[in-house]
């Protein structure tokens, strides 16, 4: 039995086996066990079979064989024979595939490409009435020929041009259209279409606008936007289309559909960018007359933006390569009616068309330096006259806003000092008006009454842009403007003018990037002079000053100086004594500045380590031991900020310096032997014990591989230190100190404890359980310790099942079950100390693991729990869910939903708020899951929203937001029975004492009222 016979037998039942047969045939040819003539002759009995299916499969067999041959195996003569053979039988199914494979071969020449193309035209004149399964391969073959053998088709001239156009006309399938538009674009760009422009244009414009909507789950992934882009490229492919394209596009601009108008505007912009300058010049005024109405009378902002883009595209095309400001150029002729119209609109600056007129000038001004020159020369003189003659500040503000838009164009054209200089031969046309522009902007900012905030904000923006414009203002002029901004930030009464202050600080930040020296010379002295040297009693203006300084620290040169000056000021302030609020503000400013730096690459890192980490911590330690006066740094809240600074800096140190820090975690850089480290000591004072806050910060910053200081004088292992920290935590009653010790416990168990020693933590947990029967303080502290030890282990997925099992049993404790329940919220909660930034071992699957172990157990035990203990399980569940991703929650929503509903009946506001947030997310992501409980949900949400005495503002607000989600997510048919009751109950909530709750109630009620009643038959 021949290979072809075997192929015919297998192709209908096992295509893989059939293709293997074709592959074996190809191997036989390459090994010379058979010849190509023999293979072709073996087809003779089937090639003329009356059954089209048989003929198709025989040709497909030959195509498969060709495809398996190496690219150089067939000679040119063999390819010629095969090409002729397949072209003669091109209507048989597999021939097109064979030709596609042949045309990829290097010996497939132009004559063969021409033969193939003519075969397509001859046999597929009726292409559009054939099924899609036949049309797509033909178009793919044509696309292949265009890609690899374009020159041969192009040599055919009108024959190929007309042939292709006729062949593809009338196609509707989006897959085919994507190919057709690509083919036609090539023809339109590379062929001479001058004699067939209208025919070719009609062949593609019949598809405009694209209204295609892909079916759901479309396997081909073709979108309407894909088709629009391909069609737009075709329409814009040749300037010969202009006489047909522009009139028809402008006609369609009158359409009522915003989508159609948007397509038209985008297509006009594409045409303007691609057609020749002469062509665009002929239509530029016509296009302006039509497009200006879309901007001056804009109904949709996005359509106005598209129209501006189109006008800008025309100006860019007409200005391409232009270096002359001659008024007779096409660009000048185009801009003449534009500037005339805009000047007329600006005569009434408060009219609604004045602002879009400014937008037009700005958009066209960015097109090119010549366009900007022409516009400024035509617009600025009358604009300044209008400003001078304006009768009101409102008119001046409107005109100044237009100037700001023009200044934006100037920056777009000429750049700012920090960017590379553009190659522009045209002088800045704003140069003659510089003094007048600076004067009027300065007067508007500094001489206008303080209550004209919006006007002054516009003036500030104008001055900022003049300062940013490359080579426009001198440094002394920019320095004067910076003084204005400084005065606004530092001297003006902030009441009612926060917007102006924010704009001034933002402007100073921008200027610091391009003129850091001026900021250093002008702004820093002014700001530092406003910082008091003594702690003010009730004046908190220093906060605004420090916020401004922090934001000005974006440049490295500026931040380095600022850090030095702030540290010096902090030293003076601490010496003078007083409230800790001011020193804490300085420390927080330093923290912000350093957080914006790449400290690991900072050349000043060693200095920061010495002055901030060692310097400030040593100061705290000396005061804690009574050998220096106590300062604001010795307040626990101040020490926490110092700790954050220390963590940040230590984290960036190299390993050698980190080792030094690790060995001084508890001695805290104290060289004096009289300082007693907190661990392994009894009866220390509160200031002394508070140094544990700093020890925690240092421990957080060093890597897990760094040896820690063991302070008992022996070579103890980490478990001994851990046991001592547990002892300290159990008896500590000062919350900040206790929290620091607990965090150390978490760091040790998670980050530093070797895996082989983690079992010791389980023993600790066992030993702590009897402590739950001690005094209330000891018992609560024991619970805290257990959960911090558990947190460290769980996050690294060490003994997770055993640890969580022990914690879950605590929920049944009659006295301390509530405290234990709250502990579950700690397990997964983010922590600034035990974090990935600090090298903590936080495994990706930790949250999933905790959820999978705890939730089923809580759900099971809840059902059998005593009534008084049930809230413990709900509180624990809430704590876990609060930090669990939505997709994880949804996987168990059927189990969780009954528990979540019962959580809403608890008195605990935090639990209620977290539960409502979870229910809102479930309603958004999986509304069908809640439909069976919708009645209970609605009643509980209304109860939570409507009782200000029993529920916090957060609970009421969250309940209303959850209620508002239901319409639009849950089926209307499910909600409609509750509609009247909900809207009626919400009337009472409209009188809530808090504004944000009332606002949410209004929006919630509107969402329910907007639901449509079902239509009657």
């Amino acid at each position: 039995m021949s290979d072809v016979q075997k192929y015919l037998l297998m192709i209908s039942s096992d295509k893989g086996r059939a293709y293997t047969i074709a592959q074996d045939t190809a191997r036989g040819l390459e090994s010379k066990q058979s010849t190509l003539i023999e293979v072709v002759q073996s087809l003779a009995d089937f090639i003329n079979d009356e059954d089209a299916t048989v003929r198709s499969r025989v040709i497909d067999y030959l195509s498969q064989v060709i495809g398996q041959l190496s690219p150089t195996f067939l000679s040119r003569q063999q390819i010629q024979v095969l090409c002729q053979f397949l072209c003669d039988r091109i209507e048989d199914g597999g021939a097109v595939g064979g030709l596609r494979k042949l045309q990829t071969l290097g010996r497939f020449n132009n004559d063969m490409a021409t033969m193939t193309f003519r075969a397509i035209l001859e046999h597929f004149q009726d292409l559009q009435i054939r099924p899609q399964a036949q049309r797509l391969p033909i178009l793919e073959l044509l696309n292949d020929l265009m890609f690899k053998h374009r020159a041969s088709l192009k040599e055919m001239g009108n024959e190929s041009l007309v042939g292709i156009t006729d062949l593809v006309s009338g196609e509707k399938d989006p897959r085919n259209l994507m190919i057709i538009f690509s083919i036609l674009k090539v023809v339109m760009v590379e062929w001479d279409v001058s004699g067939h422009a209208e025919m070719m244009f009609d062949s593609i414009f019949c598809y405009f606008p694209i209204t295609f909507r892909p079916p759901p789950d479309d396997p081909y992934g073709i979108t309407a936007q894909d088709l629009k882009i391909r069609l737009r490229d075709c329409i814009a492919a040749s300037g010969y289309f202009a006489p047909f394209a522009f009139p028809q596009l402008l006609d369609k601009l009158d359409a009522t559909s915003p989508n159609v108008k948007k397509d038209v505007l985008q297509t006009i912009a594409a045409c303007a960018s691609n057609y020749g300058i002469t062509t665009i010049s002929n239509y530029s005024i016509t296009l302006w007359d039509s497009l200006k109405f879309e901007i001056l009378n804009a109904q949709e902002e996005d359509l106005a933006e598209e129209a501006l883009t189109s006008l800008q595209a025309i100006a860019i095309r007409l200005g391409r390569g232009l270096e002359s400001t001659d008024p007779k150029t096409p660009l000048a002729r185009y801009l003449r009616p534009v500037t005339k119209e805009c000047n007329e609109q600006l005569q009434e600056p408060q009219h609604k068309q004045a602002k879009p007129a400014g937008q037009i000038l700005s958009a066209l001004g960015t097109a090119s330096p010549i366009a900007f020159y022409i516009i400024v020369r035509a617009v600025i003189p009358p604009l300044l006259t209008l400003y001078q003659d304006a009768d009101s500040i409102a008119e001046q503000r409107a005109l100044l806003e237009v100037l700001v838009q023009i200044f934006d164009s100037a920056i777009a054209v000429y750049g700012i000092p920090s960017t590379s200089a553009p190659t522009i031969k045209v002088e800045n046309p704003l140069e003659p008006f510089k003094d007048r522009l600076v004067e009027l902007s300065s007067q508007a900012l500094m001489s206008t009454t303080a209550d004209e905030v919006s006007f002054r904000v516009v003036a500030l923006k104008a001055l900022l842009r003049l300062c940013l414009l490359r080579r426009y203002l001198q440094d002394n002029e920019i320095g004067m403007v910076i003084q204005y901004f400084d005065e606004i930030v530092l001297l003006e009464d902030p009441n009612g003018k926060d917007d102006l202050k924010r704009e001034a600080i933002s402007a100073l930040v921008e200027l610091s990037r391009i003129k850091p020296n001026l900021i250093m010379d002008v702004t820093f002295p002014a700001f530092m002079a406003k910082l008091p040297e003594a702690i003010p009693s009730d004046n908190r203006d220093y906060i605004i000053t420090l916020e401004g300084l922090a934001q000005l620290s974006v440049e490295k040169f500026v931040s380095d100086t600022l850090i030095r000056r702030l540290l010096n000021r902090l030293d003076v302030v601490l010496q003078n004594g007083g409230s800790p609020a001011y020193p804490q503000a300085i420390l927080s400013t330093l923290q912000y500045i350093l957080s914006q730096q790449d400290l690991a690459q900072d050349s000043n890192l060693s200095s920061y380590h010495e002055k901030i980490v060692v310097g400030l911590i040593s100061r705290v330690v000396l005061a804690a031991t009574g050998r220096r006066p106590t300062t604001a740094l010795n307040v626990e809240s101040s020490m926490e900020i110092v700790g954050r600074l220390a963590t940040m800096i230590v984290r960036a140190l190299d390993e050698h310096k980190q080792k030094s820090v690790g060995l001084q975690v508890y001695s805290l850089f104290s060289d004096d032997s009289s300082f007693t480290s907190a661990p392994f000591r009894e009866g220390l004072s509160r200031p002394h014990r508070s140094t544990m806050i700093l020890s925690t910060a240092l421990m957080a910053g060093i890597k897990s591989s760094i040896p820690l200081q063991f302070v008992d004088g022996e070579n103890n292992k980490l478990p001994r230190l851990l046991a001592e920290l547990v002892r300290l935590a159990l008896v500590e009653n000062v919350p900040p100190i206790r929290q620091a010790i607990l965090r150390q416990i978490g760091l040790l168990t998670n980050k530093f404890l070797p895996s082989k020693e983690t079992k010791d933590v389980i023993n600790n947990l066992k030993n702590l359980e009897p402590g739950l029967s001690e005094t209330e303080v000891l018992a609560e502290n024991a619970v805290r310790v257990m959960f911090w030890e558990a947190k460290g282990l769980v996050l690294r997925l060490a003994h997770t099942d055993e640890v969580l099992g022990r914690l879950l049993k605590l929920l049944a404790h009659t006295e301390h079950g509530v405290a234990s329940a709250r502990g579950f919220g700690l397990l997964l909660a983010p922590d600034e100390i035990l974090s990935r930034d600090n090298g903590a071992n936080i495994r990706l699957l930790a949250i999933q693991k905790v959820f999978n172990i705890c939730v089923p157990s809580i759900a099971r035990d809840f059902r059998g729990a005593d009534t008084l203990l049930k809230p413990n399980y709900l509180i624990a569940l809430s704590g876990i869910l609060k930090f669990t991703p939505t997709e994880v929650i949804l996987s168990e929503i059927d189990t969780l939903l009954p528990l979540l509903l019962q959580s809403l009946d608890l008195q605990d506001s935090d639990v209620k708020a977290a539960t409502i947030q979870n229910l809102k997310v479930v309603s958004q992501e999986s509304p069908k899951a809640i439909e069976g409980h919708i009645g209970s949900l609605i009643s509980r949400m209304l109860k939570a929203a409507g009782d200000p005495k029993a529920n916090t503002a957060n609970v009421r607000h969250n309940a209303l937001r959850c209620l508002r989600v239901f319409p639009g997510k849950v089926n209307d048919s499910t909600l409609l029975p509750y509609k009247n009751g909900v809207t009626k109950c919400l009337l009472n909530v409209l009188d809530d004492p808090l504004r944000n709750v009332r606002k949410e109630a209004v929006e919630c009620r509107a969402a329910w009222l907007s639901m449509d009643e079902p239509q009657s038959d």
Side-chain angles (χ1 to χ4, degrees):
M1 184 181 292
S2 66
D3 284 352
V4 67
Q5 289 175 310
K6 295 177 185 177
Y7 183 89
L8 290 174
L9 286 173
M10 298 299 300
I11 190 63
S12 58
S13 59
D14 188 348
K15 287 187 177 181
R17 175 65 186 133
Y19 294 152
T20 302
I21 294 169
Q23 188 177 17
D24 292 341
T25 304
R27 288 174 180 167
L29 286 171
E30 290 182 336
S31 62
K32 297 185 179 180
Q33 295 175 8
S34 60
T35 64
L36 184 62
I37 293 176
E38 291 173 348
V39 172
V40 173
Q41 287 176 343
S42 71
L43 310 180
D45 293 338
F46 310 100
I47 199 67
N48 296 315
D49 197 285
E50 294 181 359
D51 188 341
T53 303
V54 173
R55 296 198 306 272
S56 175
R57 289 175 176 174
V58 169
I59 297 297
D60 187 58
Y61 164 73
L62 179 60
S63 299
Q64 293 295 330
V65 172
I66 294 170
Q68 295 297 327
L69 295 171
S70 65
T72 58
F73 177 77
L74 294 173
S75 67
R76 188 179 303 278
Q77 185 178 5
Q78 288 173 323
I79 295 173
Q80 172 77 31
V81 171
L82 286 171
C83 181
Q84 183 67 63
F85 180 81
L86 292 173
C87 284
D88 291 342
R89 293 161 178 80
I90 197 169
E91 293 194 62
D92 291 330
V96 172
L99 287 167
R100 289 193 69 190
K101 291 167 183 174
L102 280 179
Q103 64 86 31
T104 63
L105 303 178
R107 295 180 179 130
F108 188 94
N109 59 26
N110 289 350
D111 291 338
M112 300 174 201
T114 303
M115 179 198 310
T116 304
F117 177 71
R118 284 177 173 151
I120 293 172
L121 296 186
E122 179 182 350
H123 291 277
F124 293 102
Q125 288 296 317
D126 59 347
L127 183 65
Q128 298 311 316
I129 65 173
R130 293 177 181 247
Q132 164 67 2
Q134 292 184 23
R135 300 201 310 275
L136 182 59
I138 290 294
L139 293 172
E140 288 174 336
L141 173 58
L142 181 58
N143 193 52
D144 292 342
L145 293 174
M146 289 292 289
F147 182 73
K148 290 205 67 175
H149 306 282
R150 190 178 305 167
S152 61
L153 301 188
K154 191 174 179 181
E155 287 177 2
M156 298 172 70
N158 289 340
E159 180 185 355
S160 58
L161 185 152
V162 175
I164 291 171
T165 306
D166 288 344
L167 180 72
V168 301
S169 61
E171 181 59 64
K172 294 181 180 178
D173 188 279
R175 287 172 291 170
N176 296 356
L177 285 174
M178 290 292 287
I179 298 172
I180 287 170
F181 289 155
S182 296
I183 293 171
L184 288 178
K185 181 189 174 184
V186 173
V187 174
M188 293 165 175
V189 171
E190 299 192 16
W191 270 246
D192 180 7
V193 299
S194 57
H196 303 277
E198 185 171 7
M199 176 197 72
M200 296 214 70
F201 178 79
D202 289 343
S203 71
I204 47 105
F205 199 75
C206 61
Y207 296 104
F208 189 91
I210 295 290
T211 56
F212 167 70
R213 286 188 180 181
D217 303 320
D218 179 22
Y220 306 108
I222 297 172
T223 66
Q225 190 61 26
D226 294 332
L227 290 167
K228 287 178 181 181
I229 292 171
R230 293 276 176 97
L231 176 58
R232 188 182 305 144
D233 289 344
C234 288
I235 296 172
S238 173
Y240 288 113
F241 296 159
F244 318 108
F246 287 137
Q248 295 194 54
L249 287 170
L250 294 179
D251 282 345
K252 291 186 181 293
L253 199 55
D254 295 330
T256 56
S257 167
N259 287 333
V260 173
K261 293 169 81 77
K262 185 176 181 180
D263 289 346
V264 169
L265 293 168
Q266 290 178 343
T267 305
I268 289 174
C271 293
S273 299
N274 288 283
Y275 291 175
I277 292 178
T278 303
T279 302
I280 294 300
S281 180
N282 291 337
Y283 292 92
S284 61
I285 306 301
T286 302
L287 292 169
W288 156 249
D289 288 335
S290 296
L291 295 177
K292 68 181 180 182
F293 290 105
E294 299 299 325
I295 304 166
L296 297 174
N297 303 286
Q299 300 296 319
E300 305 269 353
E301 282 297 323
D302 58 335
L303 293 180
E305 287 292 330
E306 294 292 350
L308 283 171
T309 302
S310 298
L311 290 176
Q312 187 184 57
I314 296 170
I316 291 172
R317 188 72 184 94
L318 295 178
R320 193 171 297 166
L322 186 65
E323 296 182 358
S324 170
T325 58
D326 190 325
K328 296 181 181 179
T329 62
L331 178 62
R333 291 199 302 271
Y334 167 58
L335 293 176
R336 196 171 297 124
V338 174
T339 53
K340 181 175 181 294
E341 176 78 29
C342 292
N343 278 332
E344 290 173 358
Q345 297 296 344
L346 292 174
Q347 295 295 319
E348 298 289 341
Q350 288 185 274
H351 194 274
K352 67 177 184 179
Q353 292 182 327
K355 183 177 179 180
Q359 292 172 338
I360 292 171
L361 294 172
S362 178
L364 296 183
T366 60
S368 68
I370 301 297
F372 182 73
Y373 183 94
I374 295 170
I375 287 172
V376 167
R377 289 293 187 178
V379 171
I380 292 295
L383 196 58
L384 293 177
T385 302
L386 285 170
Y387 184 89
Q388 184 174 350
D389 297 339
D391 296 328
S392 67
I393 285 181
E395 290 183 355
Q396 288 183 326
R397 182 178 67 244
L399 293 168
L400 196 54
E401 285 174 344
V402 174
L403 282 172
V404 169
Q405 292 174 318
I406 293 173
F407 298 161
D408 284 332
S409 297
I411 291 172
V413 171
Y414 294 95
I416 61 176
S418 59
T419 59
S420 56
T423 54
I424 297 173
K425 298 181 180 179
V426 183
E427 66 176 20
N428 188 340
L430 290 174
E431 194 66 41
F433 309 105
K434 180 175 74 172
D435 293 341
R436 181 73 184 105
L437 292 172
V438 172
E439 179 187 6
L440 71 86
S441 299
S442 300
Q443 287 179 349
L445 178 63
M446 304 305 294
S447 302
T448 308
T449 57
D451 57 347
E452 293 290 348
V453 177
S454 60
F455 181 40
R456 298 182 70 198
V457 166
V458 177
L460 186 149
K461 291 178 178 178
L463 283 172
L464 172 62
R465 282 151 178 78
L466 292 176
C467 291
L468 293 175
L469 183 57
R470 181 192 298 277
R471 295 178 184 171
Y472 192 62
L473 297 186
Q474 300 298 317
D475 277 5
N476 63 318
E477 295 169 314
I478 297 175
M480 179 187 67
V481 173
I482 289 175
Q483 285 183 14
Y484 295 157
F485 296 165
D486 293 344
E487 288 180 27
I488 290 170
V489 175
L490 299 175
L491 302 179
E492 292 204 14
D493 182 359
N495 293 332
K497 292 186 286 296
D498 287 345
D499 289 347
L500 186 61
K501 282 185 179 289
R502 280 195 295 269
E503 288 288 345
I505 290 175
S506 177
L508 289 170
V509 170
E510 284 202 57
L511 291 174
S512 72
R513 293 189 175 97
I514 61 168
K515 295 291 182 182
N517 289 330
L518 288 177
I519 294 296
M520 296 293 300
D521 295 340
V522 179
T523 297
F524 264 31
F527 274 58
M528 295 303 296
K530 285 289 289 183
L531 287 178
E533 294 187 351
I535 298 174
S537 57
D538 55 357
N539 185 353
R540 293 175 64 83
D541 286 349
Y542 61 81
I543 292 179
I544 295 173
T545 306
L546 288 171
E547 286 177 352
L549 286 169
Q551 293 180 55
L552 287 172
S553 64
V554 289
E555 291 298 313
K556 184 72 171 65
F557 172 64
V558 175
S559 65
D560 290 347
T561 305
L562 178 57
I563 290 170
R564 288 196 302 271
R565 294 190 182 183
L566 285 177
L567 286 172
N568 292 336
R569 183 55 51 92
L570 177 64
D571 186 57
V572 173
V573 170
L574 291 173
Q575 289 178 19
N576 291 331
S579 164
Y582 182 32
Q584 286 175 6
I586 296 176
L587 289 168
S588 296
T589 304
L590 286 167
Q591 180 189 343
Y592 174 83
I593 296 168
L594 289 175
S595 70
Q596 306 303 303
Q597 313 292 325
D598 182 2
L599 289 176
Q601 304 300 321
D602 197 317
S603 58
N604 295 316
L605 181 60
S606 295
S607 173
Y608 298 153
H609 174 57
E610 290 300 321
K611 291 181 179 179
I612 297 176
V613 180
V614 178
L616 295 182
I617 290 179
S618 298
R619 190 166 189 159
V620 172
V621 169
L622 289 173
T625 56
R627 284 170 301 118
R628 279 193 70 166
T630 300
T631 68
L633 288 183
N634 291 87
V635 178
E636 281 104 3
S637 54
S638 299
M639 294 170 69
E640 287 176 344
I641 304 174
V642 173
R644 293 188 192 106
L645 282 163
T647 300
M648 197 184 308
I649 294 168
V650 169
R651 199 166 57 207
L653 294 174
D654 59 38
E655 188 169 346
H656 175 72
K657 288 186 177 179
Q658 280 201 2
K659 285 181 178 179
S660 173
V661 173
L663 294 175
Q664 301 180 79
V665 162
Y666 294 109
S667 58
L668 297 174
F669 313 108
S670 175
D671 295 330
D672 195 326
S673 59
S674 63
F675 175 69
T676 306
S677 302
F680 302 99
R681 297 293 185 271
E682 300 281 354
L684 296 177
S685 66
R686 175 170 174 171
H688 207 135
R689 300 198 316 275
S690 67
T691 60
M692 288 293 276
I693 296 173
L694 302 174
S695 296
T696 303
L698 296 178
M699 187 184 290
I702 60 178
K703 296 176 182 177
S704 60
S705 59
I706 301 297
L708 291 173
Q709 176 187 11
F710 303 124
V711 295
D712 65 338
E714 299 177 15
N715 187 23
N716 289 299
K717 296 182 179 180
L718 281 171
R720 174 73 184 277
L721 177 60
L722 179 60
E724 171 61 10
L725 293 174
V726 168
R727 183 189 70 80
L728 292 174
L730 287 174
V731 298
E732 184 57 64
N733 58 2
V734 179
I737 302 174
R738 181 178 62 218
Q739 181 71 1
I741 299 171
L742 290 170
R743 281 173 160 164
Q744 284 191 41
I745 291 171
L747 285 169
L748 283 181
T749 56
N750 177 270
K751 181 176 169 181
F752 293 100
L753 202 64
S755 299
K756 63 183 179 180
E757 296 179 1
T758 54
K759 193 67 179 175
D760 293 334
V761 182
I762 303 297
N763 296 328
N764 274 350
L765 291 175
K766 293 178 184 177
N767 296 334
L768 284 167
E769 288 180 11
L772 296 177
S773 59
E774 299 288 340
T775 64
E776 184 176 352
V777 173
L778 280 174
E780 289 185 357
N781 282 353
V783 170
R784 292 186 179 103
V785 171
M786 291 178 74
F787 274 91
W788 270 99
E789 286 189 322
K791 182 181 180 77
L793 292 180
V794 164
L795 291 180
R796 67 189 286 182
L797 292 180
H799 312 290
T800 309
D801 295 78
E802 186 175 354
V803 169
L804 293 176
R806 289 190 170 276
L807 298 182
L808 287 166
K809 290 178 182 178
L810 298 179
L811 296 176
H813 199 288
T814 53
E815 294 182 16
H816 304 293
V818 175
S820 301
R822 297 193 187 285
F824 279 87
L826 167 72
L827 289 178
L828 300 178
D831 185 76
E832 64 173 310
I833 294 295
L834 194 60
S835 66
R836 282 196 175 93
D837 287 343
N838 291 334
N841 186 1
I842 301 176
R843 303 284 293 275
L844 291 174
L845 293 177
I847 294 177
Q848 179 87 53
K849 183 83 170 177
V850 171
F851 181 88
N852 290 341
I853 293 173
C854 291
V855 169
S857 177
I858 289 173
R860 182 184 63 252
D861 294 345
F862 174 82
R863 289 191 289 270
D866 184 89
T867 304
L868 294 176
L869 297 177
K870 283 182 180 288
N872 297 351
Y873 295 91
L874 298 178
I875 293 170
L877 178 66
S878 174
I880 293 169
L881 296 185
K882 186 176 182 179
F883 305 105
T884 303
T886 303
E887 57 271 19
V888 177
I889 295 175
L890 290 176
S891 66
E892 294 291 334
I893 192 58
D894 292 336
T895 302
L896 290 170
L897 206 51
L899 298 176
L900 292 174
L901 289 171
Q902 294 188 61
S903 297
L904 295 176
D905 297 329
L906 297 177
Q907 297 302 313
D908 190 308
S909 296
D910 291 338
V911 173
K912 269 190 187 179
T915 300
I916 292 171
Q917 177 63 24
N918 283 323
L919 287 168
K920 181 172 78 71
V921 172
V922 171
S923 303
Q924 290 172 319
E925 301 293 334
S926 183
K928 287 186 178 180
I930 66 168
E931 287 187 358
H933 304 272
I934 198 67
S936 299
L937 267 174
I938 289 173
S939 63
R940 283 176 165 89
M941 293 299 168
L942 288 172
K943 183 179 178 182
D947 190 351
K949 293 181 180 179
N951 298 296
T952 63
N954 190 29
V955 169
R956 304 198 304 276
H957 188 266
N958 278 4
L960 290 167
R961 294 192 69 180
C962 187
L963 270 175
R964 182 156 62 93
V965 166
F966 294 164
K969 291 292 183 181
V970 180
N971 285 333
D972 283 0
S973 58
T974 304
L975 294 179
L976 282 170
Y978 304 96
K979 177 179 177 180
N980 292 335
V982 171
T983 54
K984 184 178 179 181
C985 287
L986 288 175
L987 285 173
N988 298 326
V989 188
L990 297 178
D991 296 325
D992 192 276
L994 291 181
R995 182 178 177 275
N996 69 324
V997 176
R998 295 196 300 271
K999 180 176 181 291
E1000 190 62 45
V1002 170
E1003 294 179 1
C1004 178
R1005 191 166 185 271
W1008 278 81
L1009 287 171
S1010 66
M1011 284 195 305
D1012 293 329
E1013 295 286 349
Q1015 296 179 355
S1016 56
D1017 293 336

